[in-house]
């Protein structure tokens, strides 16, 4: 069965949005608007899989929304909303909890990393996170999902859930006029030189909102001085930059900074090394500061302007939620018919 092409992705309101979220995801959200219908979601139900301060959560939800708009997402042409305003996400996630297998979820590396040694004490929601993510995507029967490298495994699980649902209910799906598949196999879009931006303090760790050190990441709201300071202090090694990509293979910190530069400039690592091969880090870091400030400065400024007007942000989210709900409600009615649940 041919599915209408549709893009869906989400970002958690769990703290400061950083360069990893920007380059790994949001830059691509912006680009995809030119070619696809897109739905971009502030995934607040995902955020509460770990405790969030009720005083801070609304601010974080509005800040991610502001970041979407400041980066160039058009909430009129596309859909921007927060997950909790469309109850069908949670409803379909329950159905998927009954489709997904324990063994599949047990293999998820993000859960293992986040739960660590404290497995008995983390929320059930953190374990079931990937089934909610599958529901987020499939409640719109979305076909393309731009994400960073860290979400690849969850995307594969979403595909497995879609396939198992289609298999488990194949006769009913055909009977209700949906041919041989009700859900598409959503395709991950993970491309470019910065699909996994690493911490500025440790090239083996992903840049993350929850890292205790603010120096590990560049936040979208950092001012020019802070960006400059963080880049100057970023961990490197004593060698000059290599002239070819192969020379980055055993140098994770150098690889990371070159990847960031390439992504911000919308070029390749090979091109960056053609320009900077043989240069010392002090020279390269100066150029990286200039480029980062030029790209991120206007975004941070616009975000600050937008969050100062919460009524506008809330109106964007309300409008987006209304439009998202129309699509999601239709899917959910069909899912109920396919499963055999009695409805009005
Ligand atoms: N370091 C990264 N490099 C590239 N892409 C990244 N993404 C996150 N970190 C990087 C991508 O950003 C999108 C939104 O991520 P999220 O906020 O929903 O969740 P996350 O992946 O858990 O992000 P964080 O910053 O690491 O948050 P915490 O610390 O709360 O866990 C996704 O597409 C993600 O791939």
């Amino acid at each position: 069965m041919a599915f209408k092409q549709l893009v869906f992705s989400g970002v958690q309101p769990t703290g400061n949005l950083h360069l990893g979220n920007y380059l790994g995801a949001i830059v691509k959200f912006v680009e995809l608007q030119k070619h696809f219908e897109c739905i971009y979601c502030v995934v607040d139900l995902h955020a509460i899989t770990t405790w969030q301060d009720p005083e801070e959560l609304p601010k974080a939800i509005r800040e991610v929304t502001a970041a979407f708009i400041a980066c160039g997402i058009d909430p009129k042409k596309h859909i921007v909303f927060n997950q909790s305003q469309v109850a069908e996400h949670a409803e379909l996630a329950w159905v998927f909890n009954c489709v997904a297998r324990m063994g599949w979820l047990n293999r998820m590396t993000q859960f293992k990393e986040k739960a660590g040694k404290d497995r008995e004490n983390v929320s059930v929601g953190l374990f079931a996170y990937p089934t909610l993510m599958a529901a987020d995507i499939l409640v719109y029967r979305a076909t393309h999902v731009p994400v960073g490298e860290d979400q690849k495994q969850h995307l594969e699980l979403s595909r497995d859930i879609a396939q198992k649902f289609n298999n488990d209910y194949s006769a009913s799906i055909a009977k209700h006029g949906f041919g041989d598949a009700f859900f598409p196999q959503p395709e991950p879009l993970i491309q470019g030189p910065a699909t996994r931006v690493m911490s500025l303090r440790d090239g083996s760790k992903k840049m993350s909102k929850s890292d205790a050190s603010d120096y590990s990441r560049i936040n979208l709201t950092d001012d020019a001085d802070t960006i400059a300071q963080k880049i100057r202090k970023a961990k490197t090694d004593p060698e000059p930059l290599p002239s070819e990509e192969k020379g980055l293979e055993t140098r994770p910190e150098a690889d990371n900074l070159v990847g960031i530069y390439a992504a911000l400039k919308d070029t390749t690592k090979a091109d960056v090394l053609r320009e900077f091969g043989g240069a010392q880090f002090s020279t390269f870091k100066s150029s990286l500061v200039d480029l980062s400030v030029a790209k991120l400065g206007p975004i941070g400024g616009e975000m600050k302007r937008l969050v100062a007007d919460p009524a506008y942000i809330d109106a964007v989210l309300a409008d987006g939620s209304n439009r998202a709900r129309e699509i999601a409600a239709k899917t959910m009615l069909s899912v109920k018919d396919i499963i055999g649940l009695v409805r009005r």
Side-chain angles (χ1 to χ4, degrees):
M1 160 151 189
F3 291 91
K4 182 181 144 191
Q5 294 206 319
L6 182 72
V7 168
F8 177 93
S9 197
V11 174
Q12 292 190 75
T14 42
N16 288 320
L17 282 183
H18 53 72
L19 192 61
N21 300 129
Y22 178 65
L23 295 177
I26 303 176
V27 165
K28 293 167 189 164
F29 297 1
V30 175
E31 184 60 28
L32 287 162
Q33 296 182 106
K34 295 182 197 151
H35 311 288
F36 295 90
E37 275 179 43
C38 303
I39 303 179
Y40 296 128
C41 186
V42 184
V43 285
D44 47 12
L45 296 178
H46 282 282
I48 61 165
T49 54
T50 55
W51 189 81
Q52 303 296 322
D53 183 341
E55 293 295 321
E56 297 302 319
L57 186 57
K59 292 182 209 155
I61 294 168
R62 293 187 185 111
E63 189 173 281
V64 175
T65 313
F68 283 171
I69 300 169
C71 290
I73 291 169
D74 182 343
K76 289 208 176 81
K77 280 205 187 121
H78 300 274
I79 295 180
V80 171
F81 75 107
N82 60 316
Q83 190 184 23
S84 60
Q85 293 209 57
V86 180
E88 284 79 1
H89 287 241
E91 203 176 0
L92 185 59
W94 179 258
V95 172
F96 287 169
N97 280 339
C98 303
V99 173
R101 305 290 94 181
M102 287 293 288
W104 299 0
L105 290 174
N106 272 329
R107 284 195 288 275
M108 294 297 110
T109 52
Q110 182 172 295
F111 175 74
K112 288 183 201 160
E113 280 164 19
K114 291 204 167 174
K117 293 198 175 74
D118 204 22
R119 264 188 181 220
E120 296 297 308
N121 260 329
V122 295
S123 71
V124 174
L126 191 69
F127 184 71
Y129 183 113
T131 58
L132 178 58
M133 180 165 156
D136 298 336
I137 299 162
L138 293 169
V139 83
Y140 303 101
R141 301 164 91 200
T143 51
H144 294 80
V145 187
V147 281
E149 175 76 34
D150 60 319
Q151 292 298 329
K152 189 167 178 230
Q153 194 185 32
H154 286 166
L155 239 305
E156 278 159 9
L157 190 99
S158 298
R159 292 166 66 89
D160 290 343
I161 289 174
Q163 184 153 13
K164 183 157 167 35
F165 182 94
N166 288 339
N167 289 344
D168 287 355
Y169 295 103
S170 58
S172 186
I173 287 169
K175 183 179 137 198
H176 286 92
F178 295 105
D180 57 2
F182 179 70
F183 288 120
Q185 289 274 291
E187 216 179 284
L189 301 175
I190 307 173
Q191 290 138 358
T195 55
R196 188 175 179 82
V197 177
M198 308 310 276
S199 155
L200 299 180
R201 310 298 288 164
D202 177 352
S204 67
K205 262 170 62 184
K206 147 183 127 114
M207 186 177 283
S208 159
K209 301 186 200 98
S210 53
D211 194 311
S213 165
D214 199 49
Y215 275 87
S216 68
R217 62 182 161 260
I218 294 174
N219 303 307
L220 293 189
T221 47
D222 282 344
D223 60 26
D225 286 347
T226 311
I227 293 174
Q229 235 182 14
K230 287 179 175 177
I231 291 178
R232 289 210 184 94
K233 280 189 187 247
K235 188 175 167 202
T236 47
D237 55 50
E239 301 298 317
L241 281 169
S243 303
E244 289 179 6
E245 261 188 277
K246 197 159 172 39
L248 294 173
E249 275 172 12
T250 51
R251 300 174 63 187
E253 283 85 14
D255 186 33
N256 191 36
L257 295 184
V258 171
I260 290 173
Y261 191 99
L264 283 172
K265 211 168 168 198
D266 196 17
T267 182
T268 60
K269 288 187 198 176
D271 259 347
V272 176
L273 293 179
R274 261 191 286 280
E275 190 180 343
F276 289 97
Q280 296 298 328
F281 271 107
S282 50
T283 311
F284 176 64
K285 279 183 170 179
S286 272
S287 298
L288 183 56
V289 167
D290 292 346
L291 181 61
S292 304
V293 170
K295 287 277 174 180
L296 302 182
I299 293 173
E302 181 64 359
M303 278 174 72
K304 283 176 198 144
R305 193 186 69 76
L306 288 165
V307 292
D309 187 358
Y312 166 71
I313 301 276
D314 292 0
V316 166
L317 293 174
D319 172 60
S321 301
N322 287 338
R323 288 188 285 139
R325 198 178 305 119
E326 265 182 42
I327 309 170
K330 222 171 129 211
T331 305
M332 229 19 249
L333 290 181
S334 300
V335 166
K336 286 180 179 172
D337 289 342
I338 288 166
I339 294 177
L341 300 171
V342 175
R343 65 176 179 91
R344 276 182 289 162

